[in-house]
């Protein structure tokens, strides 16, 4: 795609092993060297700008080089950069924990700090397991996860994932997880519509609970959107009814809001739309507005009490990271929450989300190979299919999404596909005019790909 390779690109390829990449692809499309960012835009070493339509892997909320966040980070760096978090604490962690307990669903009052989304999942899994051990329920050693789930790439997190692309090769190393078929509203096996169904697909989970509940410690779920599966969206009623099943069968509910928290689904947290409080809520990504690695696990007083005892009982939760509760990350995260509150971003998300949905639905409805455009909050997804009636997907070997991604890059648009799904998850500072540009450029890229594929006899 790029006729010449720059010195920086060559130096990168000499030593850097990029994540989630087949490095051989970089022979044709070398890594783009980004020099700066501002608002929704990234700028490469040649000055070309790209609309960051995916918020740089879903982390950026308020735009690159945000003045408020950058100032808070700089000020904190001159005061305290890090301190051991065992037997010590500091204001940024205290203020952040208080604010998270205030804004998350009722009952989530205890905050455990970690470094990233996968680490948060590991914490929740271990905490749930140890809780049941200390409650004299030694048979509860397994977890229930949904098909097409994604919860991270450490071994515990992979164990409760369901996307073969990531976990299949590691299967011999993984935990023995119970799996239930998850919701698939686009290809619903019951031929229901998500806005009017009574979630009959939850029966798949209930069947597993009936058989395995005595050995299950927790169910883990991505509330409202199974993101890495291709932005598969389902109604809040599924989540609400799932919580009732967890109570009925004495199984914890772990809500993995790493990707969907902080306004992505239209409310501050996805669980709000179902009116539920999970036993554990995992948060990361947008927590620091795209600035620094940080994650948290929130849980209840009931869970906390099971670990609170004299030292010699050995009931403490002995899990730690060197950078636990890092002051820089905590200060930035607190600023992010202040921005939400003071600049009324949830209201902005509602307004911009409605505009994006109406415009995108209208534009992509006319595309022959778009099976569905779906959206929750400000997360939009375009599912590409061979045939709209049968919903037959393109073979993964065709890499249709990847081909469109390359075309979009030439047009100054960063779309990172999930197989046959292109998606939008832009920073909230995006304007309506920029939303229009993002959608128009995506439409052009899709049309250009299929025009060329038709000429070549591909599609």
């Amino acid at each position: 795609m790029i006729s010449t390779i720059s010195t920086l690109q060559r130096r990168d390829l000499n030593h850097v092993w990029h994540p989630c990449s087949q490095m051989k692809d970089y022979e044709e499309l070398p890594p783009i060297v980004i020099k700066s960012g501002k608002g929704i835009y990234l700028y490469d070493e040649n000055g070309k700008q790209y609309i960051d339509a995916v918020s740089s892997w879903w982390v950026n909320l308020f735009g690159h080089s945000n003045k408020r966040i950058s100032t808070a980070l700089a000020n904190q760096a001159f005061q305290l950069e890090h301190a051991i978090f065992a037997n010590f604490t500091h204001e940024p962690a205290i203020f952040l924990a208080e604010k998270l307990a205030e804004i998350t669903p009722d009952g989530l009052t205890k905050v455990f700090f970690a470094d990233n989304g996968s680490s948060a999942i590991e914490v929740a899994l271990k905490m749930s397991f140890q809780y049941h051990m200390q409650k004299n329920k030694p048979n509860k050693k397994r977890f229930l996860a949904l098909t097409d789930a994604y919860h991270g790439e450490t071994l515990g997190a992979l164990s409760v994932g369901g996307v073969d692309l990531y976990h299949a090769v590691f299967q011999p190393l993984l935990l023995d997880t119970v799996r239930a078929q998850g919701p698939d509203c686009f290809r619903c096996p019951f031929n229901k519509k998500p806005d009017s169904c009574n979630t009959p697909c939850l029966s798949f989970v209930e069947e597993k609970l009936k058989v395995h509940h005595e050995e299950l410690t927790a169910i883990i779920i991505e509330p409202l959107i199974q993101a890495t599966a291709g932005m598969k969206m389902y109604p809040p009623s599924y989540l609400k009814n799932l919580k009732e099943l967890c109570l009925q069968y004495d199984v914890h509910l772990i809500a993995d809001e790493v990707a969907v928290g902080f306004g992505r689904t239209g409310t501050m947290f996805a669980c709000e739309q179902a009116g539920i409080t999970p036993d554990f809520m995992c948060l990361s990504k947008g927590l620091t507005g795209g600035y620094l690695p940080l994650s948290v696990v929130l849980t209840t007083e009931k869970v906390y009490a099971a670990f609170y005892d004299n030292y010699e009982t050995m009931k403490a939760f002995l899990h730690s990271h060197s950078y636990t509760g890092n002051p820089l990350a905590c200060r930035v995260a607190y600023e992010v929450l202040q921005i939400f509150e003071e600049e009324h971003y949830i209201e902005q998300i509602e307004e911009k989300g409605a505009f994006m949905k109406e415009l995108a639905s209208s534009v992509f409805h006319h595309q022959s190979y778009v099976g569905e455009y779906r959206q929750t909050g400000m997360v939009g997804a375009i599912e590409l299919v061979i045939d709209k009636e049968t919903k037959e997907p393109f073979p993964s070997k065709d890499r249709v999404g990847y081909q469109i991604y390359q075309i979009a890059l030439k047009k100054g648009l960063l779309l990172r596909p999930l197989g046959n799904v292109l998606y939008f998850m832009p920073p909230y500072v995006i304007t309506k005019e920029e939303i229009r540009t993002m959608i128009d450029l995506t439409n052009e890229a899709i049309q250009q790909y299929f025009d060329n594929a038709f000429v070549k006899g591909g599609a």
Side-chain angles (χ1 to χ4, degrees):
M1 180 178 174
I2 300 176
S3 56
T4 58
I5 185 168
S6 73
T7 300
L8 285 172
Q9 287 174 319
R10 189 176 304 282
R11 290 168 66 180
D12 176 282
L13 292 174
N14 282 342
H15 299 289
V16 179
W17 193 339
H18 288 269
C20 207
S21 301
Q22 171 47 259
M23 293 301 295
K24 188 172 174 60
D25 284 342
Y26 291 126
E27 293 178 8
E28 295 185 3
L29 179 58
I32 296 168
V33 179
I34 297 299
K35 297 285 282 187
S36 64
K38 188 66 179 175
I40 69 163
Y41 299 100
L42 294 169
Y43 297 89
D44 72 14
E45 60 180 325
N46 300 310
K48 182 176 179 177
Q49 74 174 23
Y50 302 84
I51 295 175
D52 187 357
V54 299
S55 293
S56 288
W57 256 343
W58 320 346
V59 298
N60 192 287
L61 301 185
F62 304 127
H64 296 281
S65 303
N66 180 283
K67 186 174 181 180
R68 262 190 80 164
I69 301 175
S70 295
T71 300
L73 173 60
N75 290 341
Q76 182 61 45
F78 284 104
Q79 184 172 347
L80 176 66
E81 82 299 338
H82 188 61
I84 184 173
F85 206 55
N87 298 106
F88 289 83
T89 190
H90 48 76
E91 288 184 345
I94 295 167
F95 295 168
L96 176 59
E98 287 178 337
K99 193 66 178 177
L100 287 170
E102 175 189 330
I103 66 175
T104 50
D106 290 344
L108 297 175
T109 58
K110 298 299 183 181
V111 182
F112 193 94
F113 289 92
D115 292 357
N116 56 69
S118 296
S119 297
I121 298 301
E122 299 284 342
V123 167
L125 296 177
K126 290 175 64 178
M127 205 176 271
S128 175
F129 169 79
Q130 188 175 340
Y131 169 90
H132 283 122
M133 293 303 102
Q134 293 173 183
K135 285 293 185 178
N136 297 315
K137 299 174 184 176
N139 292 330
K140 286 183 170 290
K141 301 175 182 177
R142 302 177 72 190
F143 299 93
L144 190 153
L146 300 182
T147 55
D148 292 329
Y150 178 87
H151 299 289
E153 294 175 25
T154 50
L155 288 177
L158 278 176
S159 295
V160 291
V163 181
D164 280 350
L165 178 65
Y166 300 97
H167 82 259
V169 68
F170 299 105
Q171 193 61 52
L173 303 177
L174 305 183
L175 301 174
D176 181 18
T177 299
V178 177
R179 300 190 187 280
Q181 185 174 331
D184 189 345
C185 296
F186 180 51
R187 296 182 175 89
C188 177
F190 300 95
N191 295 313
K192 301 287 187 179
K193 297 294 183 184
D195 55 355
S196 60
C197 79
N198 59 351
T199 63
C201 55
L202 195 59
S203 62
F204 298 127
V205 175
E206 187 166 15
E207 289 170 5
K208 299 290 186 179
L209 281 171
K210 286 178 180 177
V211 176
H212 298 286
H213 68 276
E214 291 184 354
E215 58 180 327
L216 289 175
T217 177
I219 295 175
I220 185 167
I221 191 168
E222 301 161 87
L224 301 188
I225 305 175
Q226 286 189 295
T228 302
M231 300 300 170
K232 294 172 68 173
M233 302 173 184
Y234 61 90
S237 55
Y238 183 96
L239 198 57
K240 184 178 188 301
N241 294 335
L242 178 63
K243 173 62 177 179
E244 292 175 1
L245 287 177
C246 288
L247 291 172
Q248 178 182 340
Y249 287 99
D250 186 28
V251 173
H252 285 148
L253 179 61
I254 300 172
D256 176 0
E257 292 223 18
V258 168
V260 299
F262 303 104
R264 290 299 187 189
T265 65
T267 49
M268 194 65 171
F269 303 103
C271 284
E272 293 176 36
Q273 297 184 40
I276 67 162
T277 297
D279 298 286
F280 303 91
M281 178 180 279
C282 302
L283 301 172
S284 190
K285 287 195 182 289
L287 175 58
T288 64
Y291 269 68
L292 290 167
L294 181 68
S295 65
V296 295
V297 177
L298 286 100
T299 191
T300 64
E301 295 287 342
K302 180 180 179 181
V303 170
Y304 178 79
F307 294 81
Y308 195 89
D309 209 335
N310 293 325
Y311 176 82
E312 57 268 20
T313 66
M314 301 307 291
K315 288 186 176 180
F317 187 60
L318 300 178
H319 180 105
S320 63
H321 298 277
S322 300
Y323 282 92
T324 295
N326 176 255
L328 297 174
C330 289
R331 178 63 186 91
V332 163
Y334 185 71
E335 191 68 22
V336 165
L337 299 185
Q338 292 296 102
I339 291 172
F340 264 112
E341 186 175 297
E342 295 170 12
E343 301 185 25
H344 309 289
Y345 264 98
I346 294 299
E347 292 89 339
Q348 292 187 47
I349 291 166
E350 183 178 355
E351 180 183 352
K352 291 176 183 179
F355 174 81
M356 188 169 92
K357 185 174 184 178
E358 181 179 1
L359 180 60
S361 297
S362 173
V363 169
F364 298 120
H365 174 74
H366 303 290
Q367 278 283 2
S368 301
Y369 296 101
V370 173
E372 178 183 60
Y373 177 78
R374 53 184 175 267
Q375 187 174 319
T376 298
M378 277 190 71
V379 181
I382 307 157
E383 180 127 359
L384 303 169
V385 295
I386 293 174
D387 184 278
K388 283 191 174 187
E389 294 299 318
T390 65
K391 301 179 181 179
E392 180 185 356
F394 287 96
S396 60
K397 64 180 178 60
D398 291 353
R399 304 187 74 184
V400 171
Y402 181 69
Q403 303 298 328
I404 295 171
Y405 157 78
Q406 292 184 75
I407 295 170
L409 280 178
K410 290 181 179 180
K411 298 176 181 292
L413 176 66
L414 170 55
L415 297 171
R416 186 171 174 86
L418 296 163
N420 290 321
V421 176
L422 305 169
Y423 68 90
F424 304 128
M425 199 186 285
Y428 301 144
V429 294
I430 193 170
T431 66
K432 289 182 178 179
E433 191 55 41
E434 289 167 336
I435 289 173
R436 186 181 300 277
T437 299
M438 177 182 72
I439 290 171
D440 287 345
L441 290 177
T442 303
N443 189 49
E444 289 175 15
I446 293 172
Q447 191 63 53
Q448 184 175 326
Y449 170 77
F450 285 111
D451 284 348
N452 292 340
F454 182 77
V455 168
K456 296 175 182 177

